[in-house]
């Protein structure tokens, strides 16, 4: 299991650094440019949601972005201490309806689910919240 | 310091918005201001030239989503041109080619406005 970690403050200014960190880790893992871009976008969306909804734009809160890899999978775990993002409350938009009546918002969660093999939300015993984004090597190409 | 830039110019009575760099939750408010200003001045024929756009997240897409209905109600449109494959893939993943007129180059987008008149 290989691990690398990036700690950032809850500021959208840091998203660029997050994408760069994930892109390097994904390339090192062996993913191609397209897959590395997809994972970077999904992690950007997850961090944006945490900054926006869990921390409600309060600056200087903490996010930890950890990459865990083994031979089969590339997992990103984002830890925060803001409000729990309850996936049951975060509906995937009905895209048919969305395209008829465009509106802002809701697309980030949808994108994360389209771009990754799985997206999970967990609460740890110490009450910290985690978002897990996972991509398997078998689905890396295409 | 921003890694995103927006420019506006006019081409045959169509407002062309040039995007450069990385459009994410941090930089989307800059684009929002530009769109709001265009719409306040009743400019409803808009082409967004994405030639130099390196990245877009849902926060950037949200700006187009927020204004598209308003613009169309006023007989205008937001057309998108010159996307790289990487940017187009994000639109495609969400089914947005059904919602937006996406052209390979700016001239074609302008032409689509002209042929409508």
């Amino acid at each position: 299991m290989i691990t690398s970690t990036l700690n950032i403050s809850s500021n959208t200014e840091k998203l660029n650094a997050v994408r760069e960190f994930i892109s390097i880790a994904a390339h090192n893992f062996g993913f191609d440019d397209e897959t590395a871009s997809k994972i970077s976008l999904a992690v950007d969306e997850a961090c944006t949601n945490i900054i926006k909804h869990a921390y409600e734009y309060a600056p200087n809160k903490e996010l930890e972005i950890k990459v865990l890899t083994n031979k089969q999978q590339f997992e990103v775990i984002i830890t925060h201490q803001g409000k729990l993002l309850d996936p049951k409350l975060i509906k995937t938009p009905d895209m048919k309806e969305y395209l008829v009546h465009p509106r802002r918002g809701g697309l980030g969660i949808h994108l994360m689910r389209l771009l990754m093999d799985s997206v999970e939300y967990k609460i740890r015993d110490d009450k910290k919240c985690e978002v897990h984004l996972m991509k398997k090597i078998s689905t890396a190409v295409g | 310091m921003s890694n995103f830039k927006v420019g506006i110019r006019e081409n045959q009575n169509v407002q062309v918005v040039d995007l450069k760099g990385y459009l994410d939750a941090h930089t989307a408010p800059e684009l929002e201001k530009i769109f709001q200003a265009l719409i306040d001045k009743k400019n409803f024929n808009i082409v967004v030239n994405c030639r130099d756009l390196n990245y877009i997240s849902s926060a950037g897409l949200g700006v187009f989503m927020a204004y598209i209905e308003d613009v169309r109600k006023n007989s205008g449109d937001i057309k998108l041109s010159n996307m790289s494959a990487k940017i187009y893939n994000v639109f495609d993943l969400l089914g947005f080619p059904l919602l937006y007129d996406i052209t390979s180059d700016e001239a074609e987008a302008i032409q689509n406005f002209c042929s409508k008149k």
Side-chain angles (χ1 to χ4, degrees), chain A residues 11-13 15-16 19 34 37 41 44-45 48 95 98-104 107-108 110-111 114-115, chain B residues 3 22 24-26 32 55-58 61-63 65-66 68-69 86 89-90 93-96 98-99:
Chain A
N11 187 329
T12 52
E13 201 176 3
L15 290 170
N16 212 22
R19 293 193 298 267
E34 191 183 337
S37 295
L41 174 55
D44 171 323
E45 298 292 352
T48 298
M95 289 311 287
Y98 206 98
L99 294 176
V100 176
H101 298 292
R103 59 181 170 80
R104 187 198 300 265
L107 287 176
H110 187 47
L111 264 179
L114 288 171
L115 294 164
Chain B
N3 54 1
Y22 296 78
D24 62 11
H26 189 62
E32 175 107 34
Y55 177 82
I56 191 164
S57 72
S58 69
L61 297 169
V63 179
M65 298 307 274
I68 188 75
E69 275 200 312
K86 189 178 153 187
N89 285 344
V90 180
L93 199 59
L94 292 164
F96 283 1
L98 288 172
L99 179 62

Side-chain angles (χ1 to χ4, degrees), chain A residues 8-12 15 44-59 61 63 80 82-85 90 98 103-109, chain B residues 24-26 28-29 32 57-63:
Chain A
I8 61 160
S9 57
S10 52
N11 187 329
T12 52
L15 290 170
D44 171 323
E45 298 292 352
C47 291
T48 298
N49 275 338
I50 290 166
I51 292 167
K52 197 170 167 183
H53 300 295
Y55 285 136
E56 297 173 322
Y57 291 111
K61 300 285 183 181
L63 281 87
H80 66 90
K83 285 201 297 193
L84 171 68
L85 302 174
I90 306 167
Y98 206 98
R103 59 181 170 80
R104 187 198 300 265
L107 287 176
I109 297 278
Chain B
D24 62 11
H26 189 62
E32 175 107 34
S57 72
S58 69
L61 297 169
V63 179

Side-chain angles (χ1 to χ4, degrees), chain A residues 102, chain B residues 14-15 17 19 31 35-36 38-39 43-50 60-73 75-81 83 91 96 99-103 109 112-113 116:
Chain B
V14 173
Q15 298 297 313
V17 179
L19 304 184
L31 181 60
F35 266 88
Q36 193 57 58
L38 284 174
I39 281 146
N43 289 304
F44 300 117
N45 287 354
I46 301 166
V47 171
V48 180
N49 188 321
C50 302
L61 297 169
V63 179
F64 305 132
M65 298 307 274
Y67 290 101
I68 188 75
E69 275 200 312
D70 261 5
V71 162
R72 285 184 180 163
K73 265 182 215 160
S75 306
D77 198 11
I78 300 170
K79 299 183 188 295
L80 300 131
S81 78
M83 278 181 197
F91 278 80
F96 283 1
L99 179 62
Y100 295 100
D101 184 12
I102 300 173
T103 61
N112 288 353
F113 273 119
K116 197 189 73 176

Side-chain angles (χ1 to χ4, degrees), chain A residues 6 27 53 74 94 102 104 117:
Chain A
L6 175 73
H27 278 110
H53 300 295
F74 183 95
D94 173 347
R104 187 198 300 265
D117 289 329

